[in-house]
Amino acid sequence: MNTCETCYLSIRNQRTAGRGVGCTPACTPTILFIGDCPSILDYKNQKPFTGRNSKILTEFIETYKLASWSHVTNIIQCVCSDPNEHYAERCYPNLIKTIHNIKPVIIVAVGSFAYKFLKEDNVRNMKQVVNKPTLFNSSIFIPIYSPSYIHKTKSYDEYTKSFELISNIFADLCKKYRWIKP
């Protein structure tokens, strides 16, 4: 039985906000952006990161010309008011399946919930880990601030730093493995 069939959020919503969108798994080098859960607008549009706060993430992906290499998804696939471990645990098999299918070279954890859940790390302050690449399975793992934090603190230069790092690492990987942009 699929975990979505027994999850309250999935039963209540009758559909999910999109299992993730972006480049197809055939595009070998991929950057996977993972957020916490979809917003109401994401649910309505059936596409992640289209909400008012998270739109900045999509804009930065496009500005840094990473759209053709990127795939975006959420840990929790259904709309919920507050992301929590219970729903994340239920959706985790779906996320692992997505990671397995896409085989990303870079995984970007968007926000503290995504970072803490994926790395099983209860870091108290995101400042300690933001923009510090580590490994997650066979991918480079880079935590960044959530779009809502960026809007709230008006610290857009933090996203500039994050996306420069992501773009530079990805460019270095493309040179090393001689990948050509689709």
Side-chain angles (χ1 to χ4, degrees):
M1 179 181 286
N2 186 339
T3 55
C4 288
E5 293 171 2
T6 61
C7 176
Y8 168 73
L9 290 176
S10 181
I11 293 168
R12 184 186 64 177
N13 290 331
Q14 296 298 314
R15 63 183 180 155
T16 61
R19 299 270 183 224
V21 295
C23 102
T24 61
C27 301
T28 311
T30 305
I31 303 167
L32 179 60
F33 291 86
I34 303 174
D36 50 11
C37 64
S39 68
I40 297 292
L41 198 55
D42 295 344
Y43 178 74
K44 183 179 175 185
N45 295 333
Q46 291 291 293
K47 197 172 175 184
F49 299 108
T50 58
R52 184 174 51 95
N53 280 336
S54 54
K55 205 172 198 176
I56 187 173
L57 182 74
T58 308
E59 290 170 3
F60 269 84
I61 290 171
E62 290 170 4
T63 300
Y64 280 85
K65 305 202 182 332
L66 299 172
S68 59
W69 302 100
S70 297
H71 188 89
V72 293
T73 192
N74 289 299
I75 294 171
I76 301 172
Q77 299 292 316
C78 297
V79 176
C80 64
S81 59
D82 185 32
N84 64 51
E85 294 268 333
H86 172 72
Y87 295 124
E89 288 290 337
R90 289 194 175 261
C91 290
Y92 191 65
N94 296 329
L95 179 64
I96 292 301
K97 197 180 302 179
T98 300
I99 292 171
H100 179 73
N101 290 340
I102 294 172
K103 297 175 182 65
V105 292
I106 298 174
I107 295 175
V108 180
V110 182
S112 63
F113 182 82
Y115 172 78
K116 289 175 184 179
F117 185 78
L118 292 171
K119 285 299 254 187
E120 296 175 352
D121 182 3
N122 267 342
V123 67
R124 290 195 181 124
N125 193 339
M126 278 295 284
K127 288 180 184 179
Q128 299 170 346
V129 295
V130 165
N131 297 335
K132 293 190 173 111
T134 59
L135 284 177
F136 183 80
N137 295 337
S138 59
S139 302
I140 297 169
F141 185 81
I142 305 171
I144 65 173
Y145 289 113
S146 71
S148 58
Y149 173 82
I150 296 295
H151 275 297
K152 185 171 72 174
T153 61
K154 304 223 183 300
S155 55
Y156 301 104
D157 59 324
E158 286 294 333
Y159 257 22
T160 302
K161 290 177 197 172
S162 296
F163 276 87
E164 283 178 6
L165 174 71
I166 294 165
S167 181
N168 289 338
I169 290 173
F170 191 69
D172 288 344
L173 289 171
C174 287
K175 286 178 194 170
K176 181 177 178 181
Y177 296 105
R178 298 176 190 210
W179 290 321
I180 299 169
K181 191 170 184 171

